[in-house]
Amino acid sequence: MDRFVGQGRLEWWANQSICLEVYDIDITVAVDAVGQWRATGRHANVLDAIQREGWDFLMEMDPHFSITFPGEDRGEIMVRVVETGDGTLTLTEAPNWDGSVNVTFDLT
């Protein structure tokens, strides 16, 4: 089993040209014998109130992020992120995600 422990960056892209937010994370990635990987992590820095509000908003809108690692310009790996109550992030590869999201805003 291959393993990577280090830093990564989660990027939330609105479309192919606009990255709305970037979050640095400390991450551990394990790849099994058939090439399937699992990852867990935490935000590298504690999010302040404004960052937390933005994170929560993006997670509610769509929890899919592009992930990059040191030395990469833009990630090609799409992941679905789940955050537990203690702040642990679980990332699973989302290779079939097409970037489409249905979002409803309540403007009342």
Side-chain angles (χ1 to χ4, degrees):
M1 182 176 285
D2 292 330
R3 188 175 175 96
F4 170 80
V5 177
Q7 286 217 319
R9 176 170 285 171
L10 293 174
E11 300 175 342
W12 199 97
W13 289 84
N15 58 41
Q16 293 179 345
S17 302
I18 301 171
C19 179
L20 288 184
E21 192 59 78
V22 174
Y23 298 96
D24 291 325
I25 60 170
D26 295 320
I27 188 169
T28 300
V29 181
V31 182
D32 65 20
V34 294
Q36 192 166 20
W37 63 273
R38 293 181 306 270
T40 58
R42 296 182 88 62
H43 288 284
N45 303 301
V46 176
L47 302 180
D48 65 26
I50 293 172
Q51 292 169 321
R52 172 49 66 180
E53 184 177 346
W55 170 263
D56 291 342
F57 175 77
L58 294 175
M59 287 289 288
E60 185 175 326
M61 229 168 75
D62 182 17
H64 289 88
F65 291 78
S66 177
I67 188 165
T68 61
F69 295 97
E72 292 184 15
D73 289 334
R74 183 171 169 188
E76 296 295 327
I77 301 172
M78 292 303 300
V79 295
R80 185 173 195 286
V81 179
V82 174
E83 184 176 23
T84 62
D86 71 354
T88 299
L89 305 175
T90 301
L91 290 71
T92 53
E93 191 172 9
N96 297 326
W97 183 75
D98 67 1
S100 63
V101 177
N102 283 327
V103 179
T104 303
F105 291 99
D106 181 8
L107 301 176
T108 59

